[in-house]
Amino acid sequence: MFITSLPALSPRKRQGSLLFLLKVLARHSSSSFLSGNPTRSIHASNDGIPNRFRPGHRPSFGASDIHTREGRLTYLSTIGRSFCSSLSQDEYLKSGSGSIPDVAARVLDPSCLDAVAPIKVKVFHKRPIDFTKLDINFLPAVILVGRPNVGKSALFNRLIRRREALVYNTPDDHVTRDIREGIAKLGDLRFKVLDSAGLETEATSGSILQRTATMTANVLARTQFAVFLIDARAGLHPLDLEVGKWLRKNAPEIKPVVVLNKAELLFDGTESFSEAADEARILGFGDPIAISAETGFGMTALHEALRPSIEDYVLQVLNSKGDCEDKGPQQCGESSLEEVDDSKLPLQLAIVGRPNVGKSTLLNALLQEERVLVGPEAGLTRDSVRAQFEFQGRTIYLVDTAGWLHRTKDEKRPSSLSIMQSKKNLMRAHVIALVLDAEQIVQAGRSMTHAEVVIARRAVEEGRGLVVVVNKMDLLKGKRAGSLYEKVMESVPMEIQTVIPQVTGIPVIFTSAIEGKGRIPVMRQVIETYEKWCSRLSTARLNRWLRKVMSRHSWRGEGSQPKIKYVTQVKARPPTFVAFTSGKKHQLSEAEIRFLTRSLKEDFGLDGIPIRIMERCVPKSNGGGQSSGSSGKNASSTRRVRMLGTDNKAVEA
């Protein structure tokens, strides 16, 4: 063990360490070395017999024990514990005789020790790499490209091991329109995988297909690798040749891995696979790989094809970072496993609302880039797009959902799957941003439609934080709309409070996403709501609050007043409290629950988030005359737990 960081110690500890080193040297060093003649070595004597085999040998130190590294002189002690005192080579040469005690005595001065810098160690990474311990920022990006309906989304789901992307057999339509991103888990291999829309190079200018192709080209310029998918059942299609030309034009430095998807039936003893492989070689990207994204066939071959290139890229990135000294674990490529506060964890934000209210435009405004496809067409977004970005040092995960519509019984097209996916993302989110259209509010004469009320109540019932964003406020500017602008800003918060009485103080932000206005206020309000949602209160603080609350409430009579022994918070996200009560009246009424909830929000600043209060009724003890068995039976029969709060429902146990 080497002590290479003496300057990092306090002056008192550094002096003590060097004094101890001097005592060890004085006890074990030979007289010839201490007299200024460091020619004898610890390893052997003049007659060739190693000194360590001589009786009564006491080790001495010579010039061979002084090692120089990167212009720094390091003295290594081999007695018991190893020591290392770092000092400049010039100081050692200036010491004249080279006596170690003389040199060490000079560095006993704290000012001299402060000037000595520790040796910097550069870490070089070698194969094999444990991808599971790498930070995601060091992983390469692999994009899946191909013509429509070749199985890109199915392979994306297979790689991330979840059914995130919509998969639907629509040869005449494009299910995927936006770029989806996830972390692929292919065996022990990890990388970022991007699912793209189907490419049609001959699309009409300004059409949806042309806009998706442009977006894919922009994302392709920022990726390192590509997987080119072909439908093995249909064979090489003319569109596949066009996609190959498109790849050479937009990413000439990337050599894609050609994959024959839906190839589970090609290995039937015939030469069908050989024929399909020969056709794929016409593209000029090498030998293809046969897989089946639906069944998982061929994933091992895909792993072997991708691993060498990905491993070379990761090694190059890790070794080009330089020294890892004074850097955190994530800067050195390792993930940090330290415990952090709940409010500092990554925030999951879902953007929901009816179609064509500006959800995708708001996501692009928050990310400050064209991340998802936008346009005047209603229902343009089908997949729920997940994106990550940093805001004021906090990691935010944004989810843009499809427009919320009522699904009919006969509806089986991709729009139906989009609605189901939007509901799942609402359940996973921490904070819900409900987007309203200001122009539609003016036209309809009310703030929220039935569908928007359903979304808001669903979010509150699930215990999620809710932020209302009124978009398209730029359309209310002008001579005639000047009064409407002020009217909307005054009426919307009041109407929302009337429609959703379960939660008071729901924040409302007015923005214009297409102009980029309101981005900072929206994110600040989202973070403030999230911190309230993660808040925790100590039991002592709650009980002090409880005494004040019970004293200022006007009860009907002393007998009707429930005796609340104490209140404690059992969980956060959302804040959940348990009130232990006793007395003749074992249950708190709805009015009393609302009073406690309102008092909690007012006194602790918890407005705008749902709060849950659970009640546990504990009977009084009947004295020692009753047996323990009957006492336990009585207690179990009268104990009740009531879940009260957002849904005003009681659950008895």
Side-chain angles (χ1 to χ4, degrees):
M1 181 181 70
F2 301 106
I3 302 177
T4 60
S5 58
L6 285 178
L9 301 175
S10 63
R12 183 184 297 272
K13 291 184 178 180
R14 284 180 285 183
Q15 289 185 4
S17 300
L18 288 176
L19 284 175
F20 181 72
L21 175 61
L22 286 176
K23 292 179 181 179
V24 175
L25 294 176
R27 185 181 300 113
H28 296 284
S29 299
S30 63
S31 59
S32 61
F33 178 75
L34 294 176
S35 62
N37 184 22
T39 58
R40 298 178 59 84
S41 174
I42 187 175
H43 303 292
S45 60
N46 294 332
D47 55 4
I49 300 176
N51 289 336
R52 65 177 181 272
F53 296 113
R54 293 180 179 276
H57 166 68
R58 303 182 70 181
S60 60
F61 299 88
S64 61
D65 299 307
I66 306 297
H67 302 277
T68 303
R69 175 175 177 176
E70 298 181 357
R72 310 290 298 173
L73 190 70
T74 306
Y75 175 74
L76 306 179
S77 174
T78 59
I79 306 298
R81 294 179 60 188
S82 301
F83 296 89
C84 178
S85 60
S86 299
L87 61 156
S88 64
Q89 191 171 7
D90 294 338
E91 287 201 13
Y92 174 71
L93 296 177
K94 290 178 182 178
S95 63
S97 61
S99 170
I100 293 298
D102 294 341
V103 176
R106 296 187 59 181
V107 300
L108 285 177
D109 185 11
S111 62
C112 178
L113 284 173
D114 291 336
V116 180
I119 297 176
K120 295 182 179 181
V121 179
K122 187 174 182 179
V123 179
F124 291 94
H125 299 264
K126 298 180 180 179
R127 289 185 175 87
I129 298 176
D130 189 356
F131 289 90
T132 60
K133 295 182 179 180
L134 287 180
D135 188 78
I136 61 174
N137 295 322
F138 295 91
L139 298 178
V142 180
I143 187 171
L144 308 179
V145 296
R147 64 181 178 86
N149 203 36
V150 294
K152 298 183 295 298
S153 297
L155 180 58
F156 177 84
N157 291 340
R158 172 67 61 179
L159 292 176
I160 66 173
R161 301 182 183 180
R162 294 192 309 272
R163 298 186 63 179
E164 291 287 342
L166 295 181
V167 178
Y168 197 83
N169 187 12
T170 54
D172 299 331
D173 194 6
H174 295 253
V175 178
T176 303
R177 292 174 176 173
D178 296 301
I179 303 294
R180 292 184 60 90
E181 181 177 349
I183 302 299
K185 300 177 181 179
L186 187 59
D188 60 345
L189 199 60
R190 300 291 184 272
F191 55 88
K192 299 176 184 177
V193 58
L194 306 176
D195 182 23
S196 64
L199 293 173
E200 289 189 11
T201 57
E202 300 298 331
T204 306
S205 178
S207 63
I208 296 178
L209 298 179
Q210 191 272 334
R211 282 181 282 168
T212 57
T214 302
M215 181 181 299
T216 304
N218 295 333
V219 175
L220 183 64
R222 302 193 300 267
T223 58
Q224 290 76 38
F225 306 99
V227 175
F228 185 7
L229 276 79
I230 300 175
D231 190 347
R233 300 174 184 173
L236 191 64
H237 196 275
L239 281 179
D240 296 328
L241 298 175
E242 296 295 332
V243 173
K245 295 178 182 179
W246 183 89
L247 281 173
R248 288 190 177 91
K249 177 182 178 181
N250 292 275
E253 70 283 356
I254 296 179
K255 182 180 179 181
V257 177
V258 181
V259 170
L260 292 174
N261 193 24
K262 308 177 185 179
E264 64 273 10
L265 300 178
L266 295 183
F267 296 88
D268 54 357
T270 62
E271 297 181 356
S272 55
F273 173 72
S274 300
E275 296 175 357
D278 291 338
E279 290 183 353
R281 293 188 184 96
I282 300 176
L283 296 171
F285 296 123
D287 295 334
I289 300 172
I291 69 166
S292 175
E294 184 177 357
T295 63
F297 168 76
M299 291 296 109
T300 302
L302 183 61
H303 175 276
E304 295 175 354
L306 291 175
R307 184 178 181 87
S309 301
I310 293 178
E311 200 168 35
D312 291 342
Y313 172 83
V314 173
L315 283 174
Q316 182 180 0
V317 171
L318 293 178
N319 293 330
S320 63
K321 297 192 313 300
D323 299 335
C324 282
E325 186 178 359
D326 300 330
K327 294 182 179 180
Q330 293 188 1
Q331 289 178 308
C332 294
E334 298 179 359
S335 59
S336 176
L337 299 179
E338 297 180 359
E339 295 183 0
V340 295
D341 186 28
D342 288 344
S343 60
K344 302 301 180 182
L345 293 174
L347 192 158
Q348 309 275 351
L349 173 62
I351 304 176
V352 299
R354 294 189 299 110
N356 207 26
V357 295
K359 299 183 298 298
S360 299
T361 307
L362 178 61
L363 183 135
N364 288 339
L366 295 177
L367 297 178
Q368 294 184 313
E369 63 171 313
E370 295 297 326
R371 179 65 175 79
V372 293
L373 189 66
V374 295
E377 300 88 355
L380 194 60
T381 302
R382 286 181 174 172
D383 273 301
S384 294
V385 181
R386 181 185 177 92
Q388 175 185 352
F389 79 108
E390 300 288 332
F391 181 79
Q392 297 180 353
R394 184 191 299 270
T395 302
I396 310 290
Y397 290 103
L398 281 175
V399 180
D400 179 26
T401 62
W404 196 286
L405 293 172
H406 289 290
R407 183 180 54 169
T408 61
K409 295 182 179 180
D410 299 332
E411 181 65 43
K412 299 296 182 180
R413 295 188 60 81
S415 59
S416 175
L417 302 177
S418 300
I419 299 171
M420 298 174 60
Q421 194 178 63
S422 298
K423 293 181 179 179
K424 291 181 180 179
N425 285 287
L426 186 144
M427 300 283 292
R428 298 173 183 172
H430 300 152
V431 180
I432 307 297
L434 176 59
V435 183
L436 308 181
D437 190 341
E439 188 178 25
Q440 294 180 2
I441 291 175
V442 173
Q443 295 176 357
R446 56 179 180 175
S447 300
M448 303 176 67
T449 62
H450 176 72
E452 292 163 342
V453 173
V454 169
I455 298 173
R457 290 181 177 175
R458 181 73 175 271
V460 171
E461 290 175 1
E462 296 297 335
R464 304 296 184 252
L466 180 62
V467 176
V468 178
V469 180
V470 182
N471 193 23
K472 302 184 182 181
M473 291 297 292
D474 56 294
L475 300 179
L476 301 184
K477 294 180 180 179
K479 297 180 180 180
R480 182 177 177 274
S483 59
L484 295 177
Y485 189 93
E486 299 295 335
K487 184 179 179 181
V488 169
M489 294 188 66
E490 293 177 1
S491 61
V492 170
M494 298 175 59
E495 292 183 15
I496 290 177
Q497 188 59 62
T498 303
V499 174
I500 312 173
Q502 297 94 333
V503 179
T504 59
I506 295 177
V508 181
I509 308 297
F510 299 90
T511 66
S512 174
I514 196 171
E515 295 180 352
K517 296 180 179 180
R519 171 181 176 269
I520 301 299
V522 168
M523 290 310 305
R524 286 179 178 174
Q525 186 59 60
V526 166
I527 292 177
E528 181 181 350
T529 302
Y530 178 70
E531 290 177 350
K532 292 180 181 179
W533 191 65
C534 297
S535 60
R536 288 183 177 272
L537 303 174
S538 63
T539 302
R541 188 179 178 187
L542 286 172
N543 289 323
R544 289 194 298 267
W545 163 84
L546 179 64
R547 288 193 293 270
K548 296 179 181 179
V549 167
M550 298 296 290
S551 62
R552 70 177 182 231
H553 183 66
S554 58
W555 306 97
R556 292 189 300 270
E558 185 177 353
S560 63
Q561 176 180 349
K563 183 179 180 181
I564 303 179
K565 291 185 175 182
Y566 66 94
V567 177
T568 184
Q569 184 176 357
V570 294
K571 67 179 292 292
R573 305 158 64 95
T576 303
F577 304 90
V578 175
F580 291 86
T581 63
S582 64
K584 297 180 180 179
K585 181 182 178 183
H586 292 293
Q587 287 188 357
L588 297 175
S589 64
E590 300 296 334
E592 294 164 352
I593 289 293
R594 288 194 297 269
F595 168 74
L596 293 176
T597 303
R598 185 174 64 254
S599 301
L600 275 171
K601 292 184 176 183
E602 292 177 355
D603 297 341
F604 296 107
L606 300 179
D607 290 335
I609 61 172
I611 291 180
R612 293 173 176 174
I613 297 180
M614 303 170 61
E615 179 190 359
R616 177 165 294 179
C617 302
V618 181
K620 294 182 179 180
S621 60
N622 297 327
Q626 190 175 1
S627 63
S628 60
S630 61
S631 176
K633 182 179 180 180
N634 184 27
S636 63
S637 62
T638 56
R639 185 183 297 113
R640 291 179 179 177
V641 179
R642 302 179 67 211
M643 179 70 72
L644 298 157
T646 59
D647 52 359
N648 293 329
K649 294 180 180 179
V651 179
E652 295 186 359

